[in-house]
Amino acid sequence: MFPLMNGSPLARRLTIAAGAALAAATFAAPADAAFTSGKCLGDAMQGRGASFAASAHNQVFIPGFSSVFCGAVGSAPTISYDSQGSGSGRRVVGARTNGAPEGNNTDGSKSRNQVPRYGMSEEPLSATDQANVNKGTDAVGDEGVIRTIPIALGSVAIVVNLPDGCTIAKQADGAALTVGQQGQLSDPGTANTRRLQITRTQLEQIFNGGTEIDTWGELVAWINDGNDTPAEASDARCASFPLVRIRRLDDGGTTFVFKDYLGQVNPGRGWLGAFNTPDTRTWPNHTRTVAFDYNNDGDTTDAVGTDPATTTGTGPCAAQFAPFTENAQFTRPDSTPVLGGTCTEASVPLLQTTQVTAAAGGNGNDDLVNKVNDFDGSIGYGDLSTARQQRAFAFERQANATDDKYWVKLQAKNLTSYVDPQSNAAGFVGGTSLKGSSCNTAQLRNLPQGADPTVADWSQASGVDSTPTAYGLCSLTYALAFDDYSTPYSTQGDQGAEERKARSVRDYMEWMTLGGQNGLLGFDYAPLSPALQEIANAAAKQIGWAKAGGNNGGSTPPVVVTPPAVVTPPANNTPAPAAPSNVFTTGTPKSNKGSATLTLQVPGAGVVSIVAKATVGKKKNSQIASAASSPKAGGPVAFTIKPSKAAAKELTKKKKLKVTLEITFTPTGGQASTKTVTVTLKPAPVKKKKK
């Protein structure tokens, strides 16, 4: 046990060290004075944009904002997030593009009439977009300064749905796979864990949609029906099954990151040139088709389905082919015409085979992942958090040998190793608690420099292909928020409400860039590096209202920070060491005779510090104890929490004392994470004197 002694020397040393860590940045006074609304007393506020960030907002940032950041205040504004894609996130702050649900803003007329007050995107604003966002409409008086604020790191996972009735785990005659064939599986000897591995070139060729790889047999030559009888028509059908690429219908930030990666693999294809013009919805070979013998009778012209409302005819279309029925009339046996139509082998390829296929609804990674889940023989891409959570963890590797839906290992830049999008080697297994993005080791390049990077041009920043051995598909997700909200929305009728919304933006951004970082690993993201977190949090604290004067705001000088250096991979291709885990768990603190006990589980060596706070007399959040422990290895760390003399008096007087414990674990060589728990202390029972 490690007792918490009030004002211990170790606790004081930790406080000094924390202050020294921030000495590299010069911060202007926060813009609090410019608000008439206090912390967490703003109005309800909505953000919109990247589906990549949906889980981060809805499962990490928003719950923690209410319970932790605003917990001491006792009230919190309602924060909501609408994941409509990165293009939408850029439009809500004024980018001049066309798309749903904002509509066509190419003339700037809709730049300041959107409901959300901040956007999210993985594709940074271009220099032109940034200028237009700052400009607002063409009218004078609604100009602003947009900040691009890094919020989190995440992986783009490649998800597959192998053709039903087909296997890649053995030869057609049941013989063991050759060494070369085993090399295409990440775990060839374990039926419950083996998965497909894809090379960089294969992935680029698949999404080009050309003739290089457009069937499953071209990707996996020995694919077969698995009945141990070779040279059957069913084996040939598995080999010729179309390999269908699924893409986003909307202008998506995940698509931008994916094309950035494909452009690194094949710079001559024009992935961020011709196929990013006018936006990410442009794809090569988007009308190309391939005929396919769906009923395996030797030709490609037969009807393969009929009206789903009946059981007559040739039988209903398979579920994955249902969209084809929307383009023809079908006449039921009773001569009643209905919208639908017979699916034929000739018509299916015209609508949905190797051509680029729109996800249902088209807006977001969730729609795309659902589409891959529903469409036999398809391949797609989406953020790791969505890939794990959609459809009851459909793309985790399930515990059976026939599971054909999972995310794959992707060939690294060094061409010799294959890497998973998740940080833990076993994190792809169904039901695991080992979550987190492998992008925690990504070395970002082309980050903007200068006194305040968040108002600079981020359009060249990238996390793809960062090192020779790292997972190649990594990205930052950014918040787009105005430095001063009083001018961009000056034409809105209720300026008091606008000021309160701006206060909520400021508070929420401050939470996301500091305390909110601690929960990201549990939902398959990675927190910002300490240097980026410092920049992001400093920028969040600069968000204000009427900063140029008025509302007692005065002028707020720009924040001056030290931007992270541009990292060049070592010449010997030595991989960057993996960051040590800072994920720890807390048990439930137990009150016991005027004190409390608490046991933590830490993943490795480091420092655990605890600060205990309570209301003592008229002093709220008064520190009543603090200390630390330095475990040498992972395992349990136990504490006994004893209140100070003043707190003990308060406990005796009021018979109970609610104590907040701020627990910070800093792994050796890693970054700190903090959790907060509460415990209500009760006094020790008074012993009765014997007569």
Side-chain angles (χ1 to χ4, degrees), residues 260-349:
D260 185 10
Y261 172 82
L262 296 178
Q264 296 293 320
V265 176
N266 185 355
R269 189 83 76 182
W271 287 109
L272 285 184
F275 300 118
N276 196 43
T277 304
D279 55 40
T280 62
R281 289 172 285 193
T282 306
W283 287 81
N285 297 304
H286 69 282
T287 60
R288 181 173 176 269
T289 63
V290 175
F292 180 60
D293 182 7
Y294 284 94
N295 65 358
N296 198 34
D297 69 347
D299 64 60
T300 59
T301 61
D302 296 335
V304 292
T306 187
D307 178 15
T310 73
T311 57
T312 60
T314 58
C317 293
Q320 66 265 33
F321 302 143
F324 304 137
T325 64
E326 298 174 0
N327 296 284
Q329 290 287 330
F330 176 76
T331 302
R332 289 180 177 169
D334 63 2
S335 299
T336 303
V338 295
L339 180 66
T342 300
C343 296
T344 68
E345 292 174 329
S347 65
V348 166

Side-chain angles (χ1 to χ4, degrees), residues 44-130:
M45 182 272 298
Q46 181 189 95
R48 180 182 294 164
S51 59
F52 187 101
S55 294
H57 284 283
N58 295 324
Q59 301 191 69
V60 181
F61 295 142
I62 292 175
F65 175 75
S66 177
S67 63
V68 180
F69 185 82
C70 295
V73 178
S75 65
T78 299
I79 306 296
S80 59
Y81 184 70
D82 183 18
S83 58
Q84 292 285 345
S86 291
S88 184
R90 296 190 298 275
R91 277 190 297 278
V92 295
V93 294
R96 297 194 174 192
T97 57
N98 182 14
E102 297 78 28
N104 190 346
N105 188 43
T106 53
D107 62 356
S109 60
K110 297 181 179 179
S111 293
R112 296 292 188 256
N113 65 354
Q114 304 297 322
V115 172
R117 286 297 176 263
Y118 74 92
M120 291 291 301
S121 178
E122 287 78 63
E123 180 179 356
L125 293 168
S126 67
T128 299
D129 279 344
Q130 186 174 13

Side-chain angles (χ1 to χ4, degrees), residues 589-592 594-596 612-625 641-661 677-684:
K590 298 179 181 179
S591 178
N592 182 26
S595 62
K613 296 181 180 180
T615 298
V616 179
K618 295 182 179 180
K619 294 182 179 180
K620 293 184 178 180
N621 292 323
S622 177
Q623 182 172 313
I624 66 170
I641 299 145
K642 295 181 179 180
S644 63
K645 290 183 179 180
K649 281 186 178 181
E650 187 80 7
L651 176 60
T652 302
K653 177 181 176 183
K654 295 189 175 180
K655 306 302 181 185
K656 62 180 180 179
L657 184 66
K658 185 176 181 180
V659 178
T660 299
L661 304 176
V677 298
T678 59
V679 59
T680 299
L681 300 183
K682 296 180 180 179

